[in-house]
């Protein structure tokens, strides 16, 4: 029988994904998560929701400059949410990690003073 956490319920839709993101953005997200006492991937999910809700058409999107401090990371995402993000990235001729970083920047601005 696989281990099941008693702290958080198991969500079968969540899968582990590896991606590369800006180290500095990730550190800021982890700091906010620590302050809010939530898992950092919960904040990443909120950022992805923002991106999916905000950028629907290619003309609404302008790719930011690629950060030079990208590092590999693994975390869990909702598989359906991540698949939507990948489709959106393809439509915008960019990568999913670029959209994740845009969501991270949104989260940092949203929670920077609280």
């Amino acid at each position: 029988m696989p281990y099941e956490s008693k702290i958080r319920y198991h969500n079968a839709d969540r899968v582990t994904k590896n991606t590369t993101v800006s180290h500095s953005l990730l550190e800021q997200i982890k700091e906010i998560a620590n302050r809010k006492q939530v898992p950092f991937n919960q904040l990443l999910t909120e950022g992805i929701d923002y991106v999916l809700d905000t950028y629907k058409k290619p003309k609404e999107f302008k790719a930011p400059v690629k950060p030079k401090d990208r590092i590999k990371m693994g975390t869990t995402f909702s598989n359906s949410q991540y698949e939507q993000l990948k489709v959106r990235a393809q439509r915008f001729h960019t990568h999913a990690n670029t959209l994740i970083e845009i969501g991270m920047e949104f989260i940092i601005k949203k929670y920077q003073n609280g």
Side-chain angles (χ1 to χ4, degrees), residues 69-85:
D69 68 339
R70 281 190 173 162
I71 59 167
K72 280 189 175 186
M73 73 154 207
T75 190
T76 59
F77 292 106
S78 159
N79 191 49
S80 58
Q81 181 191 44
Y82 190 74
E83 290 301 317
Q84 287 179 341
L85 188 72

Side-chain angles (χ1 to χ4, degrees), residues 8-94:
R8 286 181 267 179
Y9 73 95
H10 175 71
N11 182 343
D13 184 48
R14 293 189 77 78
V15 294
T16 301
K17 296 289 182 181
N18 294 315
T19 189
T20 56
V21 294
S22 164
H23 182 261
S24 61
L25 291 178
L26 183 59
E27 289 302 311
Q28 291 176 71
I29 291 290
K30 285 182 176 181
E31 184 179 305
I32 293 167
N34 188 39
R35 193 171 63 235
K36 294 183 66 53
Q37 298 183 350
V38 298
F40 79 93
N41 59 352
Q42 181 177 322
L43 295 177
L44 294 178
T45 296
E46 186 179 341
I48 292 170
D49 284 340
Y50 163 78
V51 169
L52 292 174
D53 290 343
T54 304
Y55 301 100
K56 297 182 188 264
K57 298 177 184 171
K59 66 181 180 182
E60 300 169 340
F61 177 77
K62 184 177 187 299
V65 176
K66 179 181 171 182
K68 302 241 185 259
D69 68 339
R70 281 190 173 162
I71 59 167
K72 280 189 175 186
M73 73 154 207
T75 190
T76 59
F77 292 106
S78 159
N79 191 49
S80 58
Q81 181 191 44
Y82 190 74
E83 290 301 317
Q84 287 179 341
L85 188 72
K86 283 184 2 184
V87 168
R88 189 75 44 95
Q90 287 175 336
R91 278 192 18 224
F92 294 170
H93 304 291
T94 191

